[in-house]
Amino acid sequence: MKPAFATLLIVSLLLSFSFLQTTMAYSSFCKYKCSVRCSKAGLKKRCMKYCGICCAACNCVPSGTYGNKSECPCYMNKLNSKGKSKCP
C-alpha cells in the first residue's frame, strides 16, 4: 500500500508543478500584453486591472494601445454592469 501512495503523491506533485508553471507563464503573458495595451492610458492601474481580468478570461489581448478589439472577440464582447465595454 505504501508504494502506491508514494507513486500517487509523486504524480500529483508533478501535475501540480506543471500547472503552476503554465499559470506563471500565462500571467507573465497577460502582464506583458496589458502593459503594452495600457502604455498610453491615463489611469494605468485601472487599465492594467481590467485588461488583466479580460486577458485571463479570454486568453488574448488586442494589439496596439487602443481599438483593434475585433482581433479578440471575447475581449470585445465583455461588458460591465452598465452595458459598456469592460476591457480597455
Side-chain angles (χ1 to χ4, degrees):
M1 192 70 167
K2 287 185 180 182
F5 178 73
T7 303
L8 181 63
L9 181 63
I10 290 171
V11 169
S12 65
L13 286 173
L14 289 173
L15 287 174
S16 64
F17 178 72
S18 66
F19 176 73
L20 178 64
Q21 195 173 23
T22 303
T23 304
M24 288 173 60
Y26 181 70
S27 81
S28 64
F29 165 79
C30 286
K31 188 173 184 177
Y32 171 74
K33 291 295 241 175
C34 288
S35 66
V36 171
R37 183 80 176 165
C38 297
S39 64
K40 294 184 179 178
L43 301 171
K44 287 187 185 187
K45 279 187 176 182
R46 186 172 166 185
C47 181
M48 288 292 290
K49 175 185 174 183
Y50 287 107
C51 181
I53 291 169
C54 295
C55 178
C58 298
N59 301 326
C60 64
V61 175
S63 61
T65 57
Y66 184 79
N68 304 323
K69 289 186 179 181
S70 59
E71 294 175 1
C72 184
C74 170
Y75 195 95
M76 178 176 59
N77 295 328
K78 287 225 169 279
L79 302 176
N80 64 16
S81 60
K82 296 178 182 177
K84 294 185 178 182
S85 180
K86 181 175 192 164
C87 306

